[in-house]
Amino acid sequence: MAHLAPYPGMPKHMEPMGFPGERVENWQQKGVEKLGELLKKYRSLQVYLDICVKCGACTDKCHYYLGTQDANNMPVQRAELMRSVYRRYFTPAGKMFPGLVNAVDFDEETLQKWFTYFHQCSQCRRCSVFCPFGIDTAEITMAAREIMNAIGVGHKYSVEIIGKVHQIGNNLGIPKPALKGTLEFLEEEILDSTGHDVRLPLDQPGADVLLVAPSADFFSEPHIQSLMGYAKVFHQAGISFTISSYASEAANFGMFIGSYEHQKKIAKRVVEQARDLKVKRLVVGECGHAWRVAYSFWNTLNGPLDFLDPRYPAPQHICEFTHDLLQRGALSLDKEANDNYRVTFHDSCNVARATRMGPKAGGQFEIPRDLIRASCNHFVDMDEDTIHEKTFCCGGGGGLLTDELMDLRIRGALPRVTALKRVMESDKVNFMALICAICKAQFSKVLPMYGISMDVVGGVHQLVSNAIQLGAKKGVV
Amino acid sequence: MLTFLAYFVATIFLIGFLSRIFVYARSPAPLKIPTTPAPTTRLGVIWRLVTEVVFFNSLFKSDKLAWAGGLAFHATLAVVLIRHARYFVDPMPAFVGPLQIIGIVAGVVMAAALAFLLLRRLVFERVRYISSRADYGILFLLLGIAFSGLLMDFVLRPNIVAIKTQLMTMWSSVTGLPPVNSAGDVMFLLHLLLVGALLVIFPFSKLMHAGGLFFSPTRNQVDNPREKRHVAPWAKALD
Ligand code: SF4
Ligand code: SF4
Ligand code: SF4
């Protein structure tokens, strides 16, 4: 099948990352050594390679399996690609009776399978919800990608993007003048459509908040609608904020390639920038894995974040931020502004299964839904087996949002699209709100393949943006 | 002979099991990765693990048949193991006596559950596809243990009194062999050998899920990464 295998990274992408430019000579030995090293560094990997009982409960839980019917996309089989190598080199049974326990050499054929199938996992963790031991195939995928990078067999898309972050500051490679131009253009746009002078400041020292959005928010549709929504919320609340040209990216592809070092380095840009600009709060825009990294890892990677306002000592999600303001009466929303929409909500998997919002477990489901309900009159959830922690991935996460994997992305979206179509028919839904830049990009591309218009997708803050009454109240006191 | 074997098996099992646990406990978990929604307190995490161990919560969500078969097997295994105290402990603890009938019923259910799990493995295409010889091997071993045990209860009664006397002295005598005078006694030896085999492969196989579950970061971590830094020793070196 075409469009199911990723493009390999070239020396010009790999070398600046500190990875070998091409496959190293003794790659088998190096790969096995790297696996040994990771086993000592990650308890998840060690335990998960050991304890799978092959119960099969996860076999029909992965969207890529459901979409491709390829057995290697069953989470347990995907993990088996690494487990069989692990057994061969690290367990007595695999060393002595490889045939009996299904242990295989790390050879060419195995490596090809790794390269293919560890790039058919979006690290969405749906399998970990359903496994009796919580075995998280994403952890295994990350380790596999790290091992492959270490022997010079990388995926072009992810390493190339990380390179852009280090060189220019964001995934899309947007330089500062272009960013400035866009923000000014958006300010005019909002002024024209609302009559209000809403600002989108860049590199403004001393602002209250550093807003870190996924770079797609600056240039892509429908992302940009949410960006205008964030700005209006700040404006209305009377809280000053700034965007940083140096850290103009919330996304962190270091996670996708399983590299602690790269994750840390990318995240460091944000923390340093927050310190330099002397902001008191950190707020993260609508992006799934970015929120995972910010919520779960920033503090650990580059903490303690002790320069922040003690009342907001940790990064907040833009939905938490807006929700808090709404509850304190700082915003007024006119639901009728969205009366042309009947809305449903896609729980982005990284938000749903790897993070939280607010103080209570499950806040990541409730807070965005509260915001939607406050912004529109018609809201309905999709099938309960496809929402909350059981949500289906959009099919484009985990570093797979690249054209050469288009077939895979279309197939991977199938379970989500099926659930969406059902509410489109039964409840006349015509808008799927979500809070992830990758999901937005993926759905805008893929939904048309299923006969659904791309403007069915948009951000939660797009709805907020439509509903917010600028000037209706005077900020937070 | 048997004594030697018993010590051998016990040593491999204990050292093997504990050293695996030691490896799990020692390996660092550098990032917080609980599968959310996750408890925000330690106590909540303990409760989460209890529900996983006692009720197989996650499995219930994903696969009702595997859940039913798995829970039936593990629950009855627990009862059967407790009942076996009568053969090892002298005097027999008072609570074990009334367990006799329950224990035998549990034995039957256990064998049935194992047969069901085997059938499930063979019948459902996806589960058959992922099964290796080792998976069947372990199931057959458990079935062998269950059936040899049941046969002794119902058909081929070994000389229990003599066996218990032997077992009680087994740990100290070198020459001890239980009496082999009847088919029942042979069955007993077979039962014992199969259990020995199971214990020997335990630390080297998927049976380690018994200890490993408690070290699964997606299940045993508290969801508090914003409040608490969580730096692994090897990661500190990168600062
Ligand atoms: S659900 Fe967990 S234990 Fe069962 S086969 Fe899948 S990974 Fe293995
Ligand atoms: S993490 Fe998601 S994509 Fe990867 S195997 Fe599990 S369910 Fe599939
Ligand atoms: S892109 Fe969205 S749906 Fe897909 S893995 Fe990321 S958060 Fe999940």
Side-chain angles (χ1 to χ4, degrees):
Chain A
M1 266 181 285
H3 301 295
L4 287 175
Y7 291 155
M10 301 289 155
K12 66 171 187 228
H13 312 123
M14 299 286 285
E15 274 159 8
M17 301 291 103
F19 302 135
E22 39 201 49
R23 204 196 295 188
V24 296
E25 211 152 292
N26 53 346
W27 58 273
Q28 289 171 292
Q29 183 201 343
K30 275 267 150 13
V32 172
E33 274 169 25
K34 186 78 188 173
L35 174 55
E37 181 195 320
L38 294 182
L39 285 168
K40 291 208 177 67
K41 284 167 105 173
Y42 291 94
R43 178 185 294 169
S44 51
L45 187 66
Q46 174 65 68
V47 173
Y48 295 156
L49 288 181
D50 265 6
I51 67 172
C52 168
V53 297
K54 305 286 187 72
C55 69
C58 61
T59 50
D60 58 346
K61 301 300 184 283
C62 176
H63 52 291
Y64 290 121
Y65 172 72
L66 295 172
T68 62
Q69 298 291 317
D70 183 332
N72 284 315
N73 278 328
M74 300 192 283
V76 44
Q77 274 316 93
R78 193 187 311 288
E80 183 70 13
L81 294 175
M82 182 180 286
R83 238 175 236 133
S84 49
V85 172
Y86 164 72
R87 281 189 210 109
R88 183 74 185 99
Y89 299 95
F90 296 94
T91 70
K95 284 178 192 165
M96 290 185 291
F97 325 103
L100 184 67
V101 294
N102 186 24
V104 305
D105 289 338
F106 189 48
D107 56 14
E108 187 64 40
E109 192 194 336
T110 308
L111 179 62
Q112 288 314 325
K113 281 194 191 153
W114 278 35
F115 193 62
T116 305
Y117 292 106
F118 288 121
H119 292 104
Q120 298 200 9
C121 167
S122 57
Q123 308 176 342
C124 77
R125 312 177 93 212
R126 191 167 196 264
C127 42
S128 87
V129 170
F130 292 99
C131 171
F133 316 116
I135 291 177
D136 180 2
T137 314
E139 290 290 307
I140 294 171
T141 294
M142 289 173 193
R145 294 187 187 172
E146 196 172 10
I147 293 169
M148 289 189 282
N149 278 328
I151 59 173
V153 182
H155 179 202
K156 172 170 173 275
Y157 176 68
S158 294
V159 273
E160 195 176 19
I161 278 189
I162 295 176
K164 284 187 204 155
V165 177
H166 291 323
Q167 280 155 25
I168 305 172
N170 54 61
N171 285 4
L172 297 183
I174 311 166
K176 180 168 175 178
L179 189 55
K180 194 158 177 49
T182 309
L183 297 178
E184 279 164 8
F185 170 79
L186 291 176
E187 287 173 348
E188 274 166 39
E189 176 107 355
I190 301 176
L191 185 62
D192 282 352
S193 59
T194 67
H196 288 267
D197 188 18
V198 173
R199 310 310 308 268
L200 283 146
L202 187 66
D203 296 332
Q204 187 102 213
D208 291 328
V209 175
L210 174 62
L211 171 71
V212 196
S215 55
D217 283 8
F218 304 121
F219 276 89
S220 310
E221 277 292 341
H223 307 64
I224 220 161
Q225 304 295 334
S226 282
L227 179 64
M228 293 196 274
Y230 318 152
K232 289 182 188 172
V233 170
F234 282 108
H235 174 87
Q236 189 53 22
I239 297 175
S240 66
F241 80 104
T242 184
I243 291 163
S244 151
S245 60
Y246 174 74
S248 49
E249 180 62 73
N252 192 327
F253 276 36
M255 184 176 100
F256 296 158
I257 62 167
S259 163
Y260 190 97
E261 287 83 352
H262 279 289
Q263 240 181 122
K264 184 179 166 84
K265 235 170 109 186
I266 297 169
K268 198 164 175 212
R269 303 175 71 90
V270 175
V271 177
E272 270 175 2
Q273 196 57 179
R275 252 184 239 272
D276 289 353
L277 291 171
K278 302 209 169 16
V279 298
K280 300 189 207 70
R281 296 172 71 173
L282 271 166
V283 173
V284 179
E286 296 181 351
C287 181
H289 82 281
W291 179 235
R292 179 176 191 192
V293 176
Y295 171 86
S296 296
F297 307 153
W298 273 2
N299 188 16
T300 295
L301 292 171
N302 295 302
L305 309 173
D306 46 12
F307 54 92
L308 295 175
D309 181 340
R311 285 172 304 164
Y312 305 99
Q316 284 183 294
H317 193 280
I318 185 76
C319 286
E320 279 180 308
F321 178 79
T322 305
H323 190 254
D324 177 46
L325 291 169
L326 191 65
Q327 289 198 316
R328 287 154 60 194
L331 309 174
S332 40
L333 300 173
D334 172 21
K335 294 184 184 191
E336 280 164 26
N338 284 311
D339 265 355
N340 49 332
Y341 289 135
R342 300 182 64 89
V343 183
T344 192
F345 180 65
H346 163 72
D347 290 278
S348 292
C349 19
N350 269 295
V351 177
R353 289 188 276 264
T355 71
R356 177 162 50 90
M357 290 180 203
K360 285 202 289 285
Q364 69 271 35
F365 310 135
E366 293 320 314
I367 286 177
R369 283 178 172 78
D370 272 0
L371 286 181
I372 296 173
R373 286 199 196 92
S375 314
C376 74
N377 279 311
H378 310 286
F379 174 75
V380 50
D381 257 320
M382 287 179 272
D383 187 299
E384 64 168 306
D385 282 335
T386 74
I387 59 168
H388 293 185
E389 73 269 28
K390 295 182 186 167
T391 187
F392 274 112
C393 174
C394 62
L400 308 183
L401 191 78
T402 163
D403 285 345
E404 83 261 22
L405 294 174
M406 196 39 108
D407 278 1
L408 178 76
R409 287 166 52 190
I410 296 171
R411 289 156 198 253
L414 179 73
R416 170 44 80 225
V417 174
T418 307
L420 171 62
K421 274 196 169 156
R422 204 168 296 160
V423 286
M424 289 179 82
E425 277 154 28
S426 63
D427 295 272
K428 307 252 173 312
V429 163
N430 61 1
F431 192 83
M432 179 163 70
L434 43 88
I435 45 174
C436 171
I438 294 179
C439 302
K440 287 175 196 166
Q442 156 77 350
F443 283 128
S444 318
K445 248 320 196 340
V446 162
L447 285 184
M449 313 282 182
Y450 287 95
I452 299 173
S453 155
M454 66 173 273
D455 50 23
V456 164
V457 219
V460 167
H461 276 78
Q462 179 173 338
L463 297 173
V464 172
S465 176
N466 294 340
I468 197 164
Q469 298 298 98
L470 294 175
K473 272 185 198 154
K474 267 273 166 276
V476 198
V477 235
Chain B
M1 183 56 201
L2 202 60
T3 306
F4 175 74
L5 212 60
Y7 275 110
F8 178 72
V9 167
T11 313
I12 293 202
F13 172 72
L14 279 177
I15 294 187
F17 185 83
L18 291 177
S19 65
R20 283 326 279 164
I21 294 294
F22 184 71
V23 167
Y24 300 157
R26 198 190 41 186
S27 48
L31 292 169
K32 282 262 177 167
I33 58 165
T35 308
T36 58
T40 54
T41 61
R42 219 359 63 217
L43 207 66
V45 164
I46 293 173
W47 177 243
R48 182 183 204 174
L49 284 171
V50 166
T51 61
E52 289 296 354
V53 173
V54 181
F55 306 113
F56 295 11
N57 254 19
S58 297
L59 191 55
F60 182 75
K61 277 190 239 166
S62 48
D63 188 330
K64 299 285 187 283
L65 290 182
W67 174 81
L71 194 58
F73 165 68
H74 286 83
T76 50
L77 175 67
V79 175
V80 168
L81 282 180
I82 293 171
R83 189 185 82 107
H84 274 64
R86 69 189 297 118
Y87 304 125
F88 293 98
V89 188
D90 203 21
M92 184 175 86
F95 70 91
V96 177
L99 274 181
Q100 184 63 356
I101 294 295
I102 304 176
I104 290 174
V105 174
V108 175
V109 176
M110 182 172 121
L114 284 168
F116 174 77
L117 287 174
L118 177 62
L119 204 67
R120 174 181 170 276
R121 219 173 251 295
L122 290 166
V123 168
F124 292 100
E125 205 188 323
R126 276 182 284 130
V127 194
R128 189 172 64 231
Y129 183 87
I130 64 168
S131 302
S132 73
R133 278 181 254 183
D135 299 316
Y136 291 111
I138 285 171
L139 262 179
F140 279 120
L141 200 51
L142 286 166
L143 272 166
I145 292 168
F147 275 107
S148 55
L150 286 175
L151 275 177
M152 284 187 279
D153 273 328
F154 291 115
V155 191
L156 305 166
R157 302 199 137 272
N159 186 345
I160 300 266
V161 180
I163 286 174
K164 180 158 185 183
T165 324
Q166 272 304 333
L167 281 180
M168 294 317 296
T169 57
M170 184 172 82
W171 299 102
S172 52
S173 91
V174 192
T175 53
L177 243 195
V180 189
N181 300 324
S182 66
D185 292 342
V186 175
M187 193 48 68
F188 170 74
L189 266 185
L190 180 70
H191 188 69
L192 210 61
L193 287 176
L194 290 177
V195 171
L198 188 78
L199 289 179
V200 168
I201 62 167
F202 199 107
F204 309 102
S205 67
K206 66 176 188 178
L207 297 173
M208 275 312 292
H209 70 277
L213 164 65
F214 299 96
F215 294 91
S216 168
T218 58
R219 293 289 184 268
N220 80 359
Q221 288 185 337
V222 183
D223 180 18
N224 62 357
R226 281 198 286 193
E227 292 77 33
K228 264 208 164 122
R229 271 195 97 195
H230 180 79
V231 191
W234 66 261
K236 255 189 207 121
L238 298 171
D239 268 337

